[in-house]
Amino acid sequence: MWSNKQGESLGLFPGRKTLGPLALMAVTPVAATLITHVFVKHGGSVGAFLESGQSLLELWPTPFDPTAWKLIGGFMVTQLVLMRVVPGKTSYGPVTPGGNVPEYKSNGFQCFALSLALFLAGAFRFELYPGGIVYDYLPEIISALNVFSFGFCVCLYVKGAFLWQSSSDAGTSGNPVFDFYWGTELYPRVLGWDVKLFTNCRCGLMFWAVGILSYACKQRELYGDVSDSMLVSVALQLVYVAKFFWWEAGYMCSIDIMHDRAGYYLCWGCLVWVPSVYTSPAMYLVQNPIHLGTPTALAIFLAGVLMVGINYDADRQRQQFRASEGKTRVWGRPPEFIVAHYETETGERKQSLLLTCGWWGLARHFHYVPEVLASVCWTLPALASSPAPYFYAVYLAVLLTDRAYRDDARCAHKYHQDWKKYCERVPSLIVPKLL
């Protein structure tokens, strides 16, 4: 029987029940704060940071800066309002282990466009704030988000463990450390708002887009114009985020949503780690305006767009195949697939179609390859000036590799022998013939 009650999450790293979560919850807030401090206060120079001799307590920004909280509050309230009032068609997630079918309003791309327009209008049309305000207060914003996110995760834990559960896809493991870290509910909702849609998409990814726009504005404030390296990096990231929101309904069927519960791992990660780490390549370029020249800039941009395009096409290919129940064509041919059977927690027998051709015939998680390469492309404008901006690309490669192993373990548990047949048809995990 396929179950998510115990929240099993196998992957590359051991100690996922207690020691791992404790270590991550102790280290990640510090890492997010240090990364932001080094990039904003020292221009991304680790050497300059070390020479400063500042202790962690000395450099830690106040988490109670009023401007930071106004920015956070205004941003989050705006996203909550847009989620509710912007029209969109109804989309559905996959059947959960408890037999539930999540329902969402697909208005992500419209909200994305409106959010960017509102930010730019506030900065340049109405002059309510300088365009670089997010960069100016980023250390304080990250510090405040650390506090907010921890409190938010406490509320989610208490809600799911002691108060009420939004669906039958919930429960505790008996280990409060793991339950707080991993979450107690798969699909928590509060007053009709879906928590994962809010934290993952409308806070994390939306901040990514707004944040890098602010970074470009800050570079213009500092130097009078925006370098071609910043333009390429920001443009590629905006293409990626726009792709994400265009495909948001598909994301709501991904492992982040299907398997990962709403706890510290997912919610803190989207509320704090995404703003501090995912935006770091553009954050680095603010004080390091590198001139690429038109040929180099164009080559990097086109390569990045190609990677984002392949990533999108792979996701689209699988989504279209599933939506049509296999009645479609893949690369001009009838699809090849395996019918995999599983059983829900309620004992209901169901089946999934596992695509074994197209992009999904190259490797079981081939779509991670162009995603990592896209991140390399929007970091390449930094050239070899420093290894610091490449941290995100390295981190992403490790994250997605671990996620691929976790997903494989989950699917092996879910589909049993049918998954073995699938792996025989598609033997590579991520990189064809290599991994």
Side-chain angles (χ1 to χ4, degrees):
M1 181 182 295
W2 174 43
S3 172
N4 196 34
K5 290 290 187 185
Q6 301 303 317
E8 293 292 342
S9 179
L10 302 175
L12 288 176
F13 307 108
R16 289 177 177 266
K17 285 295 186 179
T18 302
L19 295 180
L22 283 174
L24 284 172
M25 289 189 289
V27 170
T28 48
V30 176
T33 301
L34 282 176
I35 289 169
T36 306
H37 176 82
V38 170
F39 278 71
V40 174
K41 301 299 183 181
H42 299 282
S45 172
V46 177
F49 162 65
L50 294 175
E51 289 176 4
S52 71
Q54 286 182 294
S55 68
L56 190 60
L57 288 177
E58 289 173 330
L59 65 84
W60 199 281
T62 174
F64 304 111
D65 183 88
T67 302
W69 279 100
K70 288 177 184 177
L71 292 172
I72 293 169
F75 175 77
M76 289 186 173
V77 169
T78 299
Q79 295 309 314
L80 288 171
V81 171
L82 292 178
M83 286 175 68
R84 187 62 59 87
V85 303
V86 174
K89 66 179 183 179
T90 301
S91 62
Y92 300 92
V95 178
T96 69
N100 302 302
V101 179
E103 182 178 310
Y104 309 97
K105 183 196 288 187
S106 294
N107 60 2
F109 189 78
Q110 300 95 303
C111 293
F112 165 72
L114 283 170
S115 295
L116 297 191
L118 287 171
F119 172 74
L120 293 174
F124 299 106
R125 176 65 177 86
F126 300 104
E127 298 183 347
L128 300 176
Y129 44 78
I133 191 170
V134 177
Y135 182 86
D136 289 335
Y137 286 90
L138 191 60
E140 290 78 14
I141 289 173
I142 296 302
S143 185
L145 282 173
N146 261 317
V147 172
F148 172 84
S149 302
F150 186 83
F152 185 74
C153 292
V154 168
C155 292
L156 288 177
Y157 171 74
V158 172
K159 172 190 177 300
F162 303 108
L163 299 180
W164 81 95
Q165 298 173 342
S166 301
S167 75
S168 58
D169 291 286
T172 58
S173 66
N175 181 344
V177 172
F178 182 77
D179 289 338
F180 175 79
Y181 171 79
W182 188 245
T184 56
E185 295 186 84
L186 189 59
Y187 291 100
R189 298 198 175 207
V190 178
L191 300 177
W193 278 284
D194 184 90
V195 169
K196 285 184 179 178
L197 188 65
F198 173 67
T199 58
N200 297 29
C201 306
R202 307 311 171 82
C203 284
L205 269 291
M206 203 70 79
F207 183 99
W208 187 351
V210 173
I212 60 177
L213 272 183
S214 180
Y215 302 167
C217 292
K218 185 61 183 180
Q219 189 185 74
R220 183 172 178 268
E221 291 174 16
L222 291 174
Y223 302 103
D225 61 3
V226 181
S227 65
D228 56 0
S229 55
M230 178 68 87
L231 287 173
V232 169
S233 181
V234 169
L236 281 178
Q237 290 175 75
L238 288 178
V239 168
Y240 177 83
V241 177
K243 181 273 300 183
F244 172 88
F245 282 111
W246 184 262
W247 176 76
E248 187 181 61
Y251 171 73
M252 301 310 288
C253 299
S254 70
I255 186 175
D256 281 358
I257 306 302
M258 292 171 58
H259 179 58
D260 295 346
R261 293 186 176 190
Y264 181 93
Y265 167 76
L266 201 63
C267 296
W268 181 92
C270 291
L271 292 171
V272 183
W273 195 250
V274 170
S276 58
V277 175
Y278 285 47
T279 69
S280 60
M283 196 191 309
Y284 171 82
L285 290 171
V286 172
Q287 298 182 47
N288 298 276
I290 296 168
H291 178 69
L292 299 175
T294 301
T296 302
L298 185 60
I300 293 174
F301 179 74
L302 292 177
V305 170
L306 177 62
M307 292 303 104
V308 174
I310 293 174
N311 176 253
Y312 170 75
D313 191 59
D315 288 326
R316 179 206 57 79
Q317 190 177 81
R318 182 172 62 178
Q319 186 179 17
Q320 182 177 333
F321 167 75
R322 288 175 173 173
S324 67
E325 297 182 344
K327 298 178 178 65
T328 185
R329 299 182 74 83
V330 176
W331 288 356
R333 299 179 180 180
E336 300 174 13
F337 58 90
I338 286 176
V339 180
H341 301 86
Y342 66 95
E343 186 177 328
T344 69
E345 291 175 352
T346 60
E348 187 178 0
R349 294 278 296 175
K350 291 185 175 293
Q351 67 180 35
S352 296
L353 304 183
L354 306 179
L355 189 60
T356 61
C357 63
W359 298 113
W360 301 93
L362 300 177
R364 300 193 294 278
H365 299 276
F366 174 77
H367 60 314
Y368 290 159
V369 174
E371 184 159 356
V372 171
L373 292 178
S375 72
V376 172
C377 287
W378 64 63
T379 308
L380 276 177
L383 300 179
S385 58
S386 170
Y390 291 90
F391 171 77
Y392 167 66
V394 174
Y395 157 78
L396 184 66
V398 174
L399 172 73
L400 294 182
T401 302
D402 176 66
R403 183 180 294 176
Y405 278 102
R406 287 198 296 120
D407 194 36
D408 254 40
R410 183 183 66 86
C411 289
H413 174 66
K414 178 179 179 180
Y415 298 121
H416 302 293
Q417 291 300 318
D418 289 333
W419 186 253
K420 291 183 179 180
K421 295 177 184 177
Y422 174 65
C423 292
E424 290 172 0
R425 293 275 292 274
V426 187
S428 297
L429 180 66
I430 302 174
V431 183
K433 307 296 184 182
L434 295 178
L435 175 62

